[in-house]
Coordinates of all heavy atoms in Angstrom, one line a residue:
L396 N -0.3 9.4 -27.9 CA -1.7 9.4 -27.7 C -2.2 10.8 -28.1 O -1.6 11.8 -27.8 CB -2.1 9.2 -26.2 CG -1.6 7.9 -25.5 CD1 -1.9 8.0 -24.0 CD2 -2.3 6.7 -26.2
E397 N -3.4 10.9 -28.7 CA -3.9 12.1 -29.1 C -5.1 12.6 -28.2 O -5.2 13.7 -27.9 CB -4.4 12.1 -30.6 CG -3.2 12.2 -31.6 CD -2.4 13.4 -31.4 OE1 -2.9 14.5 -31.2 OE2 -1.1 13.3 -31.5
I398 N -5.9 11.6 -27.9 CA -7.1 11.9 -27.1 C -6.8 11.7 -25.7 O -6.3 10.6 -25.3 CB -8.3 11.0 -27.5 CG1 -8.6 11.2 -29.0 CG2 -9.5 11.3 -26.7 CD1 -9.6 10.3 -29.6
V399 N -7.0 12.7 -24.8 CA -6.7 12.6 -23.4 C -7.7 13.3 -22.6 O -8.2 14.3 -23.0 CB -5.2 13.1 -23.2 CG1 -5.1 14.6 -23.4 CG2 -4.7 12.7 -21.8
R400 N -7.9 12.8 -21.4 CA -8.7 13.5 -20.4 C -7.7 14.4 -19.7 O -6.6 14.0 -19.2 CB -9.3 12.6 -19.4 CG -10.4 11.7 -20.0 CD -11.8 12.3 -20.0 NE -12.1 13.1 -18.8 CZ -12.9 12.7 -17.8 NH1 -13.5 11.5 -18.0 NH2 -13.1 13.4 -16.8
F401 N -8.0 15.7 -19.5 CA -7.1 16.6 -18.9 C -6.8 16.3 -17.4 O -5.7 16.7 -16.9 CB -7.5 18.1 -19.1 CG -7.3 18.5 -20.5 CD1 -8.4 19.0 -21.2 CD2 -6.1 18.5 -21.1 CE1 -8.2 19.5 -22.5 CE2 -5.9 18.9 -22.4 CZ -7.0 19.4 -23.1
D402 N -7.7 15.6 -16.7 CA -7.4 15.2 -15.4 C -6.2 14.3 -15.4 O -5.3 14.3 -14.5 CB -8.6 14.5 -14.7 CG -9.7 15.4 -14.4 OD1 -9.5 16.6 -14.3 OD2 -10.9 14.9 -14.4
A403 N -6.1 13.4 -16.4 CA -4.9 12.5 -16.5 C -3.7 13.2 -16.9 O -2.6 13.0 -16.3 CB -5.2 11.4 -17.5
S404 N -3.8 14.1 -17.8 CA -2.6 14.8 -18.3 C -2.1 15.8 -17.2 O -0.9 16.0 -17.0 CB -2.8 15.6 -19.6 OG -3.8 16.6 -19.4
D405 N -3.0 16.4 -16.4 CA -2.6 17.2 -15.3 C -1.8 16.4 -14.3 O -0.8 16.9 -13.7 CB -3.8 17.8 -14.6 CG -4.5 18.9 -15.4 OD1 -3.9 19.3 -16.4 OD2 -5.6 19.3 -15.0
A406 N -2.3 15.2 -14.0 CA -1.6 14.3 -13.0 C -0.2 13.9 -13.6 O 0.8 13.9 -12.8 CB -2.4 13.1 -12.8
L407 N -0.1 13.7 -14.9 CA 1.2 13.4 -15.5 C 2.1 14.6 -15.4 O 3.3 14.4 -15.1 CB 1.0 12.9 -16.9 CG 2.2 12.3 -17.6 CD1 2.6 11.0 -16.9 CD2 1.9 12.1 -19.1
A408 N 1.6 15.8 -15.5 CA 2.4 17.0 -15.4 C 2.9 17.1 -14.0 O 4.1 17.6 -13.8 CB 1.5 18.2 -15.8
V409 N 2.2 16.7 -13.0 CA 2.6 16.8 -11.6 C 3.8 15.9 -11.4 O 4.8 16.2 -10.8 CB 1.5 16.4 -10.6 CG1 2.1 16.3 -9.2 CG2 0.4 17.4 -10.7
A410 N 3.7 14.7 -12.0 CA 4.8 13.7 -11.9 C 6.1 14.2 -12.6 O 7.2 14.1 -12.0 CB 4.4 12.4 -12.6
L411 N 6.0 14.8 -13.7 CA 7.1 15.4 -14.4 C 7.7 16.6 -13.7 O 8.9 16.7 -13.6 CB 6.8 15.7 -15.9 CG 8.0 16.1 -16.8 CD1 9.0 15.0 -16.8 CD2 7.5 16.5 -18.2
C412 N 6.8 17.4 -13.2 CA 7.3 18.6 -12.4 C 8.1 18.1 -11.2 O 9.1 18.6 -10.9 CB 6.0 19.4 -11.9 SG 6.4 20.7 -10.7
H413 N 7.6 17.0 -10.5 CA 8.3 16.5 -9.4 C 9.7 16.0 -9.8 O 10.7 16.2 -9.1 CB 7.5 15.4 -8.7 CG 8.2 14.8 -7.5 ND1 8.3 15.5 -6.3 CD2 8.7 13.6 -7.3 CE1 9.0 14.7 -5.5 NE2 9.2 13.5 -6.0
H414 N 9.8 15.3 -10.9 CA 11.1 14.8 -11.4 C 12.0 16.0 -11.6 O 13.2 16.0 -11.2 CB 10.9 14.0 -12.6 CG 12.2 13.8 -13.4 ND1 13.2 13.1 -12.8 CD2 12.6 14.2 -14.6 CE1 14.3 13.1 -13.6 NE2 13.9 13.7 -14.7
Y415 N 11.5 17.1 -12.3 CA 12.3 18.2 -12.5 C 12.8 18.9 -11.2 O 14.0 19.3 -11.1 CB 11.6 19.3 -13.3 CG 11.3 18.9 -14.8 CD1 10.3 19.6 -15.5 CD2 12.1 18.0 -15.4 CE1 10.1 19.3 -16.8 CE2 11.9 17.7 -16.8 CZ 10.9 18.3 -17.5 OH 10.7 18.0 -18.8
Q416 N 11.9 19.0 -10.2 CA 12.3 19.6 -9.0 C 13.3 18.7 -8.2 O 14.3 19.2 -7.7 CB 11.1 19.8 -8.1 CG 10.1 20.7 -8.7 CD 10.6 22.1 -9.1 OE1 11.3 22.7 -8.3 NE2 10.4 22.4 -10.4
F417 N 13.1 17.4 -8.2 CA 14.0 16.5 -7.6 C 15.4 16.5 -8.2 O 16.4 16.5 -7.6 CB 13.4 15.1 -7.6 CG 14.3 14.1 -6.9 CD1 14.3 14.0 -5.5 CD2 15.0 13.1 -7.6 CE1 15.1 13.1 -4.9 CE2 15.8 12.2 -7.0 CZ 15.9 12.2 -5.6
R418 N 15.4 16.5 -9.6 CA 16.6 16.5 -10.3 C 17.4 17.8 -10.1 O 18.6 17.8 -9.9 CB 16.3 16.3 -11.8 CG 17.6 16.3 -12.7 CD 17.2 16.1 -14.1 NE 16.6 17.4 -14.5 CZ 16.0 17.6 -15.7 NH1 16.0 16.7 -16.6 NH2 15.5 18.8 -16.0
S419 N 16.7 18.9 -10.0 CA 17.3 20.2 -9.8 C 17.9 20.2 -8.4 O 19.0 20.7 -8.3 CB 16.2 21.3 -9.9 OG 16.7 22.5 -9.6
A420 N 17.2 19.7 -7.4 CA 17.7 19.7 -6.0 C 18.9 18.8 -5.9 O 19.9 19.2 -5.3 CB 16.6 19.3 -5.1
A421 N 18.9 17.7 -6.6 CA 20.0 16.8 -6.5 C 21.3 17.4 -7.2 O 22.4 17.1 -6.8 CB 19.7 15.4 -7.2
S422 N 21.1 18.1 -8.3 CA 22.2 18.7 -9.0 C 22.9 19.8 -8.2 O 24.0 20.1 -8.5 CB 21.8 19.1 -10.4 OG 21.0 20.2 -10.3
T423 N 22.1 20.4 -7.3 CA 22.7 21.6 -6.6 C 23.4 21.1 -5.3 O 24.1 21.9 -4.7 CB 21.6 22.6 -6.2 OG1 20.7 21.9 -5.4 CG2 21.0 23.2 -7.4
E424 N 23.3 19.8 -4.9 CA 24.0 19.3 -3.7 C 25.5 19.2 -4.1 O 25.9 18.9 -5.2 CB 23.5 17.9 -3.4 CG 22.1 17.9 -2.8 CD 21.6 16.5 -2.5 OE1 22.4 15.6 -2.6 OE2 20.4 16.4 -2.2
K425 N 26.3 19.6 -3.1 CA 27.7 19.5 -3.3 C 28.2 18.1 -3.3 O 27.8 17.3 -2.4 CB 28.4 20.4 -2.2 CG 28.1 21.8 -2.3 CD 28.9 22.6 -1.4 CE 28.5 24.1 -1.6 NZ 29.3 25.0 -0.7
K426 N 29.0 17.8 -4.2 CA 29.6 16.4 -4.3 C 30.7 16.3 -3.3 O 31.4 17.2 -3.0 CB 30.2 16.2 -5.7 CG 29.2 16.4 -6.8 CD 28.1 15.4 -6.8 CE 27.1 15.6 -7.9 NZ 25.8 15.3 -7.7
L427 N 30.8 15.1 -2.7 CA 31.9 14.8 -1.8 C 33.1 14.2 -2.5 O 33.0 13.5 -3.4 CB 31.3 13.8 -0.7 CG 30.1 14.2 0.0 CD1 29.5 13.1 0.9 CD2 30.4 15.4 0.9
S428 N 34.2 14.6 -1.9 CA 35.5 14.1 -2.6 C 36.0 12.8 -2.0 O 37.0 12.3 -2.5 CB 36.6 15.2 -2.5 OG 36.8 15.5 -1.1

Side-chain angles (χ1 to χ4, degrees):
L396 303 173
E397 284 301 321
I398 300 171
V399 68
R400 293 276 316 256
F401 287 123
D402 289 335
S404 63
D405 286 352
L407 191 63
V409 175
L411 188 59
C412 171
H413 181 66
H414 166 61
Y415 288 161
Q416 299 307 307
F417 181 75
R418 183 182 67 187
S419 172
S422 67
T423 59
E424 290 178 7
K425 294 186 178 184
K426 305 293 182 212
L427 300 172
S428 61

